[in-house]
Amino acid sequence: MLSVHLPAELEAELDLYLASHSLSRSQVVSLALRRFLNEAKADPFLAWIGTGQSGMSTDELMRWSRGDVWNKP
């Protein structure tokens, strides 16, 4: 079970899409998550979306993406 809160305008847009394509919310959310996860596997930086709020520093991100010597001349 998953509960997702959407901004009103996004929910309205989703409802219009669902009505015109005869799909359920569950189907669309499952497809969207599957696509995101597949893309995140192909591009690891997508996995960091939203981490700016988690307190990860630039140094930590750069070490993760480029190794310990990222800031050496």
Side-chain angles (χ1 to χ4, degrees):
M1 178 68 175
L2 174 69
S3 177
V4 179
H5 296 278
L6 301 174
E9 65 184 45
L10 184 56
E11 187 171 6
E13 188 175 347
L14 175 60
D15 289 339
L16 287 173
Y17 182 86
L18 296 175
S20 65
H21 290 84
S22 300
L23 294 169
S24 70
R25 287 180 177 207
S26 292
Q27 289 171 308
V28 172
V29 170
S30 293
L31 290 169
L33 284 173
R34 177 56 51 210
R35 183 175 182 179
F36 172 80
L37 293 171
N38 286 337
E39 289 177 7
K41 288 177 191 173
D43 184 356
F45 283 105
L46 289 177
W48 292 97
I49 291 175
T51 59
Q53 297 154 0
S54 71
M56 175 175 269
S57 71
T58 301
D59 285 342
E60 291 170 317
L61 179 58
M62 294 303 282
R63 280 191 185 90
W64 173 83
S65 64
R66 298 183 184 187
D68 287 331
V69 296
W70 74 270
N71 200 19
K72 304 282 190 236

